[in-house]
Amino acid sequence: MGKYNFDEIIARKGTSSLKFDFGPERKGRDDLLPLWVADMDFKLPEEILSDIQKRVAHGIFGYTDPKDAYKASLRHWFEKRHGFVIEDDWNTIEPGMVHSISLAIRAFTKPGDAVLIQQPVYYPFMESIALNGRKVVNNQLVYKDGHYEIDFDDFEKKIVSEDVKMFILCSPHNPVGRVWTKEELQKMADICLKRNIYVFSDEIHSDFVYSGHKHVSYITLGDKYWKRLILGTAPSKTFNIAGLQLANIIIPDEETRAVFKRENEAAGYSQGNVLAMTATASAYTKGEEWLDELICYLEGNVNYLRSFLKENLPEVKLIEPEGTYLVWLDFSGITDDPKELEKLIVDEAKLWLDSGAIFGKETALFERINIACPRAVLEQALWQLYKAVEKHGKA
């Protein structure tokens, strides 16, 4: 028995939770069990909450900037968990990852320039590119035998033929759950280096990696790749503090960092959120034991999901997750009609998942499910899905 209780079900309705309270606005109904957006149904451990509460008790929340304790917490976390050392001046605090991606697009590309992504991928990548007047170029991941791989030939071909200026890497990959190997990353890095491509490596899910896999940060590939590297990190997924709005953008190269900071200043952002910085420093200093137990619990949820599908819903194919708490499911064995699938999930199973269509046009028969919830909630969701599929098959 672990120190922390991840089976506890905490009521979240009525807390202005995007996940729980916006069903009527987003889905047209208020009776859905939500396992969609990437936040967890687990609260922070007391060790971290007490630091936040102590800061709140002070009662004054003025402007702030990182002090030595904050910088030390980042150095400690990334050196111990991911094997690299952050120099103090490499980091820029931002209010979030998507904001930072948009800043980088504006800083390192011009209107009309091409930016490459790998669908199916986190949909704000596409939105950030398009809304900033840049061209989306897709290096589609290859789906074969329930697994995703990179098409390296297409990767380089698209970079050359489309005159790509920036590559947004999702590592680990959301939603397909791949934890890229060093060899895969090295191949992409070599192509980008040869073609002078800026790389924004979004590593927000890097702390969630399952047994038999290891996250390799792009920054650890070697300093020859640092010239055009923007490394995106954040505590928001790891410690479920997305609502506090903080990301740490690590840029080793001085010139690249200066360009990014100028764009940041042009956007009018300077000081960070005092509570976010308090929570981050505390989490990166005191949260390791909690996270290790959480990953074990999530692996248990994956095991339960795998067994349930095998025994009860073999038509639904699990894409084995190597990392992240967002699991990718293939429903093409149930229906070939995306609208029918949406009706099955929402109206019949009464579940709120993320439709595969938002991650790319080729994955409209997939769904992304968030398993970062108490086991009992996952069980309930899967039985609701089973009954809906059973009813659907008899209709």
Side-chain angles (χ1 to χ4, degrees):
M1 185 70 180
K3 177 178 176 181
Y4 303 101
N5 179 19
F6 297 105
D7 286 319
E8 181 184 5
I9 296 177
I10 301 168
R12 298 188 63 191
K13 278 211 165 192
T15 63
S16 295
S17 163
L18 187 65
K19 187 175 183 180
F20 280 82
D21 289 330
F22 286 81
E25 294 90 340
R26 299 236 175 173
K27 304 298 279 188
R29 55 193 310 159
D30 197 27
D31 60 349
L32 303 177
L33 183 59
L35 295 95
W36 64 291
V37 70
D39 79 9
M40 302 189 287
D41 296 335
F42 310 121
K43 69 178 181 180
L44 282 167
E46 288 303 319
E47 301 93 307
I48 301 169
L49 286 175
S50 63
D51 286 343
I52 299 171
Q53 289 160 351
K54 181 180 178 181
R55 185 63 187 83
V56 169
H58 181 262
I60 299 174
F61 310 101
Y63 294 115
T64 188
D65 261 329
K67 294 287 282 183
D68 290 345
Y70 182 87
K71 296 172 185 177
S73 73
L74 264 65
R75 287 197 302 272
H76 162 79
W77 187 263
F78 288 101
E79 184 173 13
K80 186 172 184 184
R81 302 290 294 198
H82 300 296
F84 65 90
V85 177
I86 301 172
E87 299 292 338
D88 287 349
D89 61 350
W90 289 2
N91 185 46
T92 303
I93 287 182
E94 296 293 342
M97 191 68 74
V98 176
H99 170 85
S100 303
I101 289 170
S102 288
L103 281 183
I105 289 169
R106 292 198 295 272
F108 303 112
T109 69
K110 299 174 184 176
D113 280 351
V115 180
L116 186 136
I117 57 172
Q118 295 172 311
Q119 290 180 321
V121 75
Y122 182 53
Y123 55 92
F125 284 11
M126 293 83 85
E127 293 173 351
S128 296
I129 297 165
L131 291 173
N132 280 295
R134 276 63 168 175
K135 180 182 179 182
V136 177
V137 175
N138 179 33
N139 167 232
Q140 185 77 22
L141 296 179
V142 179
Y143 178 53
K144 185 178 180 181
D145 300 325
H147 184 74
Y148 281 89
E149 297 288 345
I150 298 164
D151 184 339
F152 291 101
D153 289 338
D154 181 70
F155 182 85
E156 185 163 22
K157 180 182 176 182
K158 290 276 179 65
I159 284 176
V160 174
S161 65
E162 300 288 346
D163 193 20
V164 166
K165 302 300 184 186
M166 175 180 283
F167 167 42
I168 305 176
L169 170 67
C170 197
S171 179
H173 193 282
N174 168 20
V176 309
R178 279 298 317 276
V179 174
W180 305 118
T181 64
K182 183 175 182 179
E183 291 71 26
E184 288 171 317
L185 291 167
Q186 196 85 55
K187 282 186 180 181
M188 292 188 287
D190 285 337
I191 293 167
C192 291
L193 179 65
K194 181 170 67 174
R195 302 294 177 182
N196 294 317
I197 307 299
Y198 284 98
V199 177
F200 190 110
S201 186
D202 176 353
E203 301 185 14
I204 198 169
H205 293 281
S206 61
D207 289 315
F208 294 102
V209 175
Y210 298 127
S211 301
H213 302 280
K214 176 179 172 55
H215 171 71
V216 178
S217 177
Y218 200 100
I219 202 171
T220 66
L221 297 177
D223 57 8
K224 72 177 182 179
Y225 302 108
W226 290 0
K227 176 65 178 172
R228 293 171 182 257
L229 171 62
I230 305 97
L231 175 62
T233 76
S236 52
K237 297 292 183 283
T238 307
F239 295 102
N240 207 32
I241 55 172
L244 293 181
Q245 302 282 294
L246 184 144
N248 291 296
I249 307 304
I250 300 160
I251 305 176
D253 182 75
E254 185 177 1
E255 182 180 338
T256 301
R257 187 168 61 249
V259 173
F260 182 83
K261 286 193 168 186
R262 278 199 299 274
E263 192 64 41
N264 183 52
E265 291 166 4
Y269 186 78
S270 53
Q271 282 78 26
N273 176 328
V274 64
L275 291 183
M277 290 170 63
T278 300
T280 299
S282 179
Y284 280 163
T285 305
K286 303 176 181 179
E288 192 163 28
E289 184 181 5
W290 178 85
L291 177 63
D292 287 340
E293 283 194 22
L294 170 60
I295 292 171
C296 288
Y297 189 87
L298 292 174
E299 285 200 273
N301 276 358
V302 172
N303 292 338
Y304 176 82
L305 172 61
R306 182 189 304 111
S307 297
F308 186 96
L309 294 178
K310 183 178 180 181
E311 295 170 15
N312 301 290
L313 286 170
E315 313 96 315
V316 180
K317 184 178 292 184
L318 169 69
I319 311 307
E320 282 290 341
E322 299 170 356
T324 86
Y325 55 76
L326 305 164
V327 178
W328 197 227
L329 301 176
D330 180 355
F331 281 82
S332 61
I334 299 287
T335 178
D336 59 4
D337 183 350
K339 291 182 180 178
E340 186 178 355
L341 176 58
E342 179 72 1
K343 185 176 186 302
L344 172 69
I345 298 295
V346 175
D347 296 332
E348 298 178 40
K350 292 184 170 56
L351 296 177
W352 190 355
L353 311 182
D354 274 318
S355 168
I358 65 177
F359 301 96
K361 62 183 179 181
E362 295 192 20
T363 49
L365 295 177
F366 287 71
E367 297 280 338
R368 189 186 77 170
I369 182 171
N370 180 348
I371 62 160
C373 58
R375 187 84 33 84
V377 174
L378 181 61
E379 291 173 5
Q380 179 185 342
L382 292 175
W383 281 114
Q384 287 178 205
L385 178 61
Y386 168 77
K387 290 173 183 175
V389 171
E390 187 179 40
K391 181 182 176 183
H392 180 82
K394 294 176 179 178

